[in-house]
Every structure is written in C-alpha cells, then in structure tokens.
Amino acid sequence: MENLAARLSCKTEHEPLLPLISQKIHWQPDLSFRPFNYTAVQIIENMGGTVGTSTVVKPSPTAFVGAPMEKSSKASLIKELVALGLLKAVAAPFERVKLLLQNQKDIIKSGRLHKPYNGILHCFATTIRNEGIFSLWRGYTAMTMGHVSATVIRFGIYQYTKILDDTQWSYTRVVVSSYVASAATQFLVYPFLYAATRMATDVKTIGSNTGDRQFNGMIDVFRKTLKSDGIVGLYRGFNITLGELVMMGALSKGLNPWKQHYSYILRNNFLSRHMVELGFWISGNMATYPLDTVSRRMMMTSGSGTVKYKSTVHAIGQIMKTEGVKTFYNGAGAEILACAANRATLLLMIYVADVIGAAKKQY
C-alpha cells in the first residue's frame, strides 16, 4: 500500500507534466460551509497505509493544489462522508457558540436574549444552563446534510470531468470552470446553511415556562421562511458568499506556495507541519470572516427578523454605522477553536489509521 507521502503530493516523477482535466477541475475553493474547507478522505482512504511519516514530496502549480492522486470511487466517497460527519460532530459546539456570538445583536432585538454574552465561556455556560448540553449540537443535522450534499455534488462533477481528460483546456478555462462549479454547489446547498444558522441561533425564549423556540426543526425553518419571505428568504446573504468564494480563491492562490514551502521544510516534523497548516487555515478564515458575518446577519432578517437590509452594501453600512467594525469579528475566537478542534480530530484520525496500518502489516 502506497504511503501517505505519495497520496498527498500533487505531482510525482512518474506523472505527466500537466495534470489531467479531472485533476484540474477538482481544484476549487470549498466555501460551502465554514470553517470546514478541506477534505479528510486523503487521510483515511487507505487505512492500511503508513501515515505517521507523511510529507509533501514536491510543490505543484498553485492552481492545481488539491488535485487527487487517486481515482475517486464510491468507497472513498463513503469514507469521506463518514469522516466529514465525525469532524462536524466534534466542531459543532464551537460552531453554535460562534453563531450565537456572531448574531447576538439580532437575537437581542428579537427579544430572545436580554443582554450580550460576555465571551466564549459565558456563551457556553449560558447555553448549557438554559438549554442543556446537547443543545450545543443544535443545527448539526442541517449543517451536516449541507456538507454531505456538497461532497456528493463535487464527487459527481469530478466523475463527469474524468471523461474530458483527453481535452486540452486553457488555464483560464480551468479556473473559470472551477469557480462556476463552486458557485453552483454553493447555490444548491445554501438553504441548508441558512437552516443551520437559524436553528443554531434559535435560543429558548427568556422567561418561558415551556422553553418555546421559534423553529421546531429544519423542515419548520423552511416552511416558515417560505411562507413569510418566499424562496428569496432561503437565499438572503447568498451574494456576499460569492464574494467570499472569490476572496478565498485569491487567498489560496497567494498562500498555497508559502504553505507548500513550509510544509516541505517541516516534512519530517509531523506536529510542526500540521501546526503551520492550521495557521494558514485560520489566517484564510479570519481574512474572509467579516464577509461571513454579513451573510449570517442577513440570514437573520428572513422570517420574523426585526431588521431588513436593502442590499449587501446597505447591510455592511448599517452594521458598521450602528455597531462598529469590531462587530464583524464577533465569534471569531470560537471559529479559531473550531478550526483547532477539527485539526486535532484529524490528527487523531491519522494516529488511528497508523495503528490500523501497523496492525495489518503484522497480521
């Protein structure tokens, strides 16, 4: 079984000089759901491989970073979905706290919260005290369904592009096609992102003996939003996510050469290399975080929201005017913790895969 070094490298000495079309088109900024903009299938798809000494063998052209070394298969897709569900489950509590902090102004205006949270720990404590510990996973189902849908769609696109491997595509056509595919995927799964956001920010009514909520599940979110705002309500804030998509793509193009450089230097230091990758990952998320905040705040105006924004520009102007620039980074600390929790879980997967691989070699 080939080792992870070969699987993670985008080019080897035995490959053709230029990647196949299916490899090119596979590269696309994955902003379907923050902050999980990577795939874990490369870590676990060959559980019998030696993963503890993984490294990056040779840098590849920036636009082709992420091209898979191995052909996609239904088996690898299933493994990726399982890994995705596990990663989401671990980070879900941090994600909900991030959304509560990010949108607490609108929650207060709706009358469901009396005063702002005093930080991440206070938000955790208040949520657990008022709603129970399992409420930290509220919105997890909708978010995971969106992730699964996005993964399946990307898998289908990749399978389709494999038949075009003999076609010569220009660099511009590859990049444009990648962005179109990403935008189409984002459009199809955006309602799940909306539902997850509304459920995560739906705190129990203060002073209610029954602990009433605004929504009784994902289907109820869709039903009430369609009734009050129509289909537009499910896509409020979608425009700014396209800007986020472009910005993340530009950042990836600029940061990937540096990321590959330091990953190569630290190829023999497993922990340090992952710490560097985590740093780049967090940097990219923080750079686009204000756009994510605007998108989430616009989502909150659908249905019975108390604030209506005429456009994305109007939303940015109103938030900046009434709450200040600092508001755009509310909840950023929780997102950083979510990134760290995700990376830690990924490292645990690597360790487990290493143990399983060693056991298979012995028997």
Side-chain angles (χ1 to χ4, degrees), residues 37-38 56 59 65 251-267 273-282 343:
N37 49 2
Y38 69 92
V56 177
V65 171
L251 287 171
S252 296
K253 184 177 177 64
L255 293 178
N256 268 326
W258 293 96
K259 179 181 176 181
Q260 289 182 330
H261 172 70
Y262 286 109
S263 294
Y264 180 75
I265 292 177
L266 300 171
R267 61 189 180 278
R273 181 166 55 81
H274 278 278
M275 292 298 292
V276 168
E277 291 176 357
L278 176 61
F280 277 100
W281 184 17
I282 292 175
R343 178 62 61 171

Side-chain angles (χ1 to χ4, degrees), residues 211-263:
D212 292 336
R213 294 186 185 273
Q214 183 179 1
F215 301 108
N216 296 319
M218 181 175 62
I219 301 300
D220 192 45
V221 173
F222 292 146
R223 181 179 62 82
K224 290 182 177 178
T225 302
L226 290 172
K227 182 179 180 180
S228 62
D229 290 54
I231 190 69
V232 176
L234 298 178
Y235 285 92
R236 190 156 281 121
F238 176 73
N239 291 341
I240 194 68
T241 62
L242 296 182
E244 187 179 2
L245 186 73
V246 173
M247 185 174 180
M248 183 61 81
L251 287 171
S252 296
K253 184 177 177 64
L255 293 178
N256 268 326
W258 293 96
K259 179 181 176 181
Q260 289 182 330
H261 172 70
Y262 286 109
S263 294

Side-chain angles (χ1 to χ4, degrees), residues 290-349:
L291 302 183
D292 180 65
T293 296
V294 175
S295 174
R296 307 283 185 173
R297 294 292 295 271
M298 293 184 72
M299 291 179 190
M300 296 294 292
T301 67
S302 291
S304 59
T306 57
V307 179
K308 296 291 182 181
Y309 301 116
K310 298 178 182 179
S311 64
T312 300
V313 175
H314 182 244
I316 295 174
Q318 285 294 105
I319 295 173
M320 186 177 297
K321 179 181 178 181
T322 59
E323 302 175 28
V325 177
K326 185 179 178 181
T327 299
F328 290 105
Y329 279 95
N330 281 349
E335 171 140 321
I336 292 175
L337 290 178
C339 292
N342 233 290
R343 178 62 61 171
T345 305
L346 200 60
L347 292 178
L348 180 60
M349 288 182 178

Side-chain angles (χ1 to χ4, degrees), residues 38-304:
Y38 69 92
T39 174
V41 70
Q42 291 172 312
I43 302 298
I44 65 168
E45 61 185 354
N46 288 313
M47 298 297 284
T50 302
V51 299
T53 58
S54 61
T55 182
V56 177
V57 176
K58 184 187 296 185
S60 63
T62 306
F64 304 143
V65 171
M69 280 295 299
E70 300 178 2
K71 294 182 178 180
S72 298
S73 65
K74 292 183 179 180
S76 66
L77 175 62
I78 293 174
K79 290 178 181 178
E80 180 169 359
L81 296 180
V82 171
L84 195 58
L86 178 60
L87 292 172
K88 281 297 303 168
V90 171
F94 299 100
E95 177 70 7
R96 191 186 180 200
V97 168
K98 169 241 179 179
L99 290 171
L100 288 172
L101 292 171
Q102 195 175 36
N103 298 282
Q104 59 183 321
K105 296 290 185 180
D106 287 327
I107 301 175
I108 292 174
K109 291 176 182 178
S110 69
R112 308 185 75 85
L113 186 67
H114 280 322
K115 58 182 180 180
Y117 299 108
N118 296 322
I120 297 174
L121 293 179
H122 181 249
C123 185
F124 265 112
T126 301
T127 303
I128 294 174
R129 181 175 61 251
N130 296 338
E131 305 179 27
I133 191 169
F134 292 108
S135 67
L136 294 175
W137 280 266
R138 183 169 176 80
Y140 166 76
T141 301
M143 188 70 73
T144 302
M145 288 183 65
H147 269 293
V148 169
S149 300
T151 302
V152 172
I153 291 171
R154 286 194 297 270
F155 177 81
I157 293 174
Y158 174 68
Q159 290 292 96
Y160 172 74
T161 56
K162 284 201 299 184
I163 67 176
L164 303 176
D165 283 343
D166 294 332
T167 305
Q168 296 297 322
W169 283 22
S170 65
Y171 176 85
T172 301
R173 186 178 179 184
V174 168
V175 173
V176 171
S177 299
S178 297
Y179 275 106
V180 170
S182 297
T185 302
Q186 183 82 351
F187 179 82
L188 293 174
V189 303
Y190 193 80
F192 292 107
L193 174 61
Y194 166 77
T197 301
R198 296 309 301 268
M199 289 184 65
T201 55
D202 183 20
V203 299
K204 287 186 176 180
T205 305
I206 298 175
S208 172
N209 293 328
T210 59
D212 292 336
R213 294 186 185 273
Q214 183 179 1
F215 301 108
N216 296 319
M218 181 175 62
I219 301 300
D220 192 45
V221 173
F222 292 146
R223 181 179 62 82
K224 290 182 177 178
T225 302
L226 290 172
K227 182 179 180 180
S228 62
D229 290 54
I231 190 69
V232 176
L234 298 178
Y235 285 92
R236 190 156 281 121
F238 176 73
N239 291 341
I240 194 68
T241 62
L242 296 182
E244 187 179 2
L245 186 73
V246 173
M247 185 174 180
M248 183 61 81
L251 287 171
S252 296
K253 184 177 177 64
L255 293 178
N256 268 326
W258 293 96
K259 179 181 176 181
Q260 289 182 330
H261 172 70
Y262 286 109
S263 294
Y264 180 75
I265 292 177
L266 300 171
R267 61 189 180 278
N268 295 322
N269 192 324
F270 179 77
L271 184 60
S272 296
R273 181 166 55 81
H274 278 278
M275 292 298 292
V276 168
E277 291 176 357
L278 176 61
F280 277 100
W281 184 17
I282 292 175
S283 298
N285 276 354
M286 291 300 99
T288 59
Y289 193 83
L291 302 183
D292 180 65
T293 296
V294 175
S295 174
R296 307 283 185 173
R297 294 292 295 271
M298 293 184 72
M299 291 179 190
M300 296 294 292
T301 67
S302 291
S304 59

